[in-house]
Amino acid sequence: GGRDTTAHSISFILIELAKNPIEQTKLRKSLSKLSPENWTMSPHLLRVIKEGMRLHPVGNSLRKTGRDIHTKNDEYLIPSGSICVCSFLLLFRNPDVFSPDPNSFVPSRWEDPTREMTDSFHPFTLGKKNCLGQSLARAEMFGIVARICSEFELSVEEDGYGGSLLDFEAGWMAFESSKGLQRGTISFGWVNVIKTQARVLPPDLTLQIHRGSR
């Protein structure tokens, strides 16, 4: 459901911030200039979330055509009833659109995006069958990412790659707060996320959430 997809996006955004401390510092400074109720107005927060979703999209767009579709200049015909799949991962990392460094986390690319970039980036899809929960998902991502980054320093302790699928000890992140270094994890399903503990697994593993003591 929507909880899993939103948790996917939040976890990867936090991982990218942990891997890019300069961007994390920029975001924290941007948030410090605003009151918590106005964090959604942070332009850098918006860029960070868009870039995280660009690099790590939740899924693909799969549609069934209801009529024959002719491509530009009638070069190709897509017959009615065809199953069309658009890979967001390939689309959002297209080097002809998102250059330079389409595989790198560069939030500043959204400061002055090209028409091609905005036309290509639709993580919630388009049309009548777009994501019904996108408003809630955006609110959760903005609120949780902002809250965590405002109170914690994130760093990668182990990147999580190279282990087996059963190596659940890989992929830890370190969180530095006023209470000192906390070697632990975060539960992404709650507003008071920074007060709970859960395990952040490597990017190639399924995220598992465990409630912890406060």
Side-chain angles (χ1 to χ4, degrees):
R3 293 176 299 176
D4 296 332
T5 53
T6 305
H8 169 103
S9 298
I10 293 173
S11 60
F12 273 112
I13 291 169
L14 294 178
I15 288 173
E16 289 295 344
L17 287 171
K19 292 165 59 179
N20 296 272
I22 293 178
E23 295 296 340
Q24 185 181 157
T25 299
K26 289 181 180 179
L27 175 58
R28 190 170 296 109
K29 288 182 178 179
S30 176
L31 295 174
S32 67
K33 299 176 182 178
L34 302 168
S35 59
E37 57 268 21
N38 292 324
W39 277 342
T40 56
M41 299 174 61
S42 167
H44 196 71
L45 177 61
L46 173 61
R47 293 193 289 266
V48 163
I49 289 177
K50 290 180 70 172
E51 185 69 351
M53 296 185 70
R54 182 190 71 83
L55 283 176
H56 307 285
V58 172
N60 300 307
S61 175
L62 188 150
R63 303 289 176 88
K64 183 177 182 179
T65 59
R67 58 181 176 81
D68 290 348
I69 299 176
H70 295 268
T71 61
K72 188 176 182 179
N73 299 324
D74 287 333
E75 185 176 2
Y76 298 102
L77 168 65
I78 304 176
S80 175
S82 299
I83 303 296
C84 300
V85 180
C86 175
S87 172
F88 286 168
L89 186 62
L90 297 178
L91 180 63
F92 296 169
R93 298 195 185 203
N94 183 350
D96 294 332
V97 177
F98 298 97
S99 61
D101 301 324
N103 296 318
S104 298
F105 183 73
V106 186
S108 60
R109 75 173 78 245
W110 295 104
E111 291 180 359
D112 186 23
T114 64
R115 173 68 180 274
E116 288 78 12
M117 289 172 60
T118 56
D119 286 348
S120 299
F121 184 71
H122 294 287
F124 295 103
T125 72
L126 296 170
K128 296 180 179 179
K129 296 184 178 181
N130 65 1
C131 178
L132 294 175
Q134 58 182 289
S135 296
L136 176 59
R138 292 181 190 276
E140 291 178 332
M141 285 189 289
F142 272 77
I144 293 174
V145 171
R147 175 63 67 181
I148 291 174
C149 288
S150 69
E151 299 194 21
F152 290 84
E153 293 279 351
L154 281 64
S155 62
V156 175
E157 191 169 308
E158 297 177 27
D159 62 15
Y161 289 104
S164 69
L165 291 178
L166 297 179
D167 184 10
F168 292 108
E169 293 302 319
W172 290 93
M173 295 170 64
F175 302 90
E176 182 75 35
S177 72
S178 58
K179 298 180 181 179
L181 182 65
Q182 301 179 12
R183 189 179 188 275
T185 52
I186 286 184
S187 169
F188 298 108
W190 304 86
V191 175
N192 61 342
V193 57
I194 60 173
K195 305 301 182 183
T196 64
Q197 292 184 345
R199 176 161 297 175
V200 179
L201 300 180
D204 55 343
L205 298 179
T206 300
L207 181 67
Q208 292 188 349
I209 300 300
H210 304 286
R211 290 297 301 275
S213 59
R214 302 191 178 192

